[in-house]
Amino acid sequence: MAASLIRNAIEKHLTDSRALEVRIMDWPTSPKLFLLVWLSLSSLSLLADSDSPHVIGVFEGIDREIAVENGELVGRFAPYYRCVFSRVESDFQFVEMPLAQMLYRLEKGGISAGLPMVQTAERDEYADFGGLLFQTEYVYLLLHDLPPLDSLSGLRFAFVRQFVGDKLLRGADPVVIPVSDWSQAVEMLKRGRVDVVVLPWVLIDFYMKGFDQPYYDRTAAWVDLSMYISHRAEDGGLTENLRKAIRKCRFIAEQNQGSWEIPTRRGDLED
């Protein structure tokens, strides 16, 4: 009776498992042997799960800078990140997603890492920053040549939800209008619904292309870009392996003398 029950359990396990195809020709009669086979199959199933790829979140909506195409990273930022992942012995699956979703999944363990990202104290609570990979400039985009922003009050700022724009607010009593993507923020600026958009400088020419009125941009900050690795990543060595690769690739980029260069416009921070 016990042997029959164990045999039925094993057959159900094999039917439900898509990773294993086993044909049992002659069933032994020892319950202990059935139990040993059952435990072996369970171990194989767990091993298969551990070999699943690390899911890497990629900030969606900035396709020219970074995107996923046919499972690979593409765009002007891509050489830096491809260099990093090629130096870590693991499998990775890249998935585009909104920034807010990426941060949520980093915190809850739904993804192993997310990019491109800058470091903040809030993010440090649930993920590890990878360290400087390259730098980029964040700017204030305006349609009017306003006085110094610190001298004004009630300015309406628009930027993507969970973006670090809240660290770059200027003036008294600023109003924050979060949006789902950069195109929405810039469109609100063009329609006069906000006064300032905070965004990476590299995106301005793309979103302002064809706009026939004057516009202005002022440096908000130069930031270190890299990635965040979730504290809940199942691979205990993933953070250190990625950090080592980031340090190596930053050195390689410096030696390449601009072959990976991202368009920049150096400028002093606004007074």
Side-chain angles (χ1 to χ4, degrees), residues 41-244:
L41 291 172
S42 298
S43 299
L44 287 172
S45 178
L46 290 174
L47 181 61
D49 290 340
S50 68
D51 289 340
S52 59
H54 289 288
V55 178
I56 308 299
V58 179
F59 195 156
E60 73 174 7
I62 52 172
D63 292 0
R64 186 181 61 176
E65 317 312 323
I66 191 77
V68 181
E69 194 172 283
N70 298 323
E72 301 293 333
L73 294 175
V74 296
R76 296 196 290 191
F77 294 172
Y80 295 88
Y81 291 107
R82 287 199 301 261
C83 174
V84 171
F85 289 109
S86 69
R87 283 165 172 76
V88 177
E89 293 185 3
S90 190
D91 294 325
F92 300 99
Q93 178 184 359
F94 303 102
V95 181
E96 293 185 39
M97 60 186 68
L99 177 60
Q101 179 185 345
M102 190 190 310
L103 294 173
Y104 177 82
R105 295 184 67 181
L106 269 175
E107 181 176 7
K108 301 303 180 182
I111 59 176
S112 296
L115 62 92
M117 286 194 184
V118 302
Q119 188 171 21
T120 71
E122 293 85 352
R123 297 171 185 178
D124 287 344
E125 294 179 0
Y126 52 82
D128 294 310
F129 189 62
L132 168 64
L133 183 55
F134 60 95
Q135 287 192 317
T136 194
E137 181 185 12
Y138 286 174
V139 299
Y140 303 111
L141 178 62
L142 321 162
L143 292 189
H144 304 285
D145 192 12
L146 299 174
L149 301 185
D150 281 338
S151 67
L152 303 175
S153 63
L155 288 172
R156 299 166 297 171
F157 289 82
F159 44 81
V160 171
R161 289 182 180 87
Q162 302 296 320
F163 182 63
V164 295
D166 59 339
K167 311 298 183 186
L168 303 172
L169 298 176
R170 308 295 284 268
D173 302 317
V175 177
V176 175
I177 302 175
V179 297
S180 58
D181 57 55
W182 297 118
S183 61
Q184 184 180 357
V186 174
E187 187 61 28
M188 293 178 71
L189 180 69
K190 293 176 180 178
R191 297 186 179 192
R193 295 173 58 188
V194 298
D195 305 301
V196 186
V197 171
V198 187
L199 77 169
W201 178 81
V202 294
L203 301 180
I204 290 181
D205 65 324
F206 178 78
Y207 287 116
M208 299 304 285
K209 183 178 181 180
F211 187 70
D212 58 3
Q213 300 177 32
Y215 61 89
Y216 308 87
D217 59 87
R218 302 176 187 176
T219 300
W222 279 89
V223 297
D224 297 345
L225 273 184
S226 186
M227 68 179 71
Y228 262 102
I229 305 99
S230 174
H231 287 168
R232 298 194 176 189
E234 293 183 0
D235 184 349
L238 182 64
T239 297
E240 186 54 35
N241 290 338
L242 285 171
R243 282 177 165 171
K244 287 180 180 178

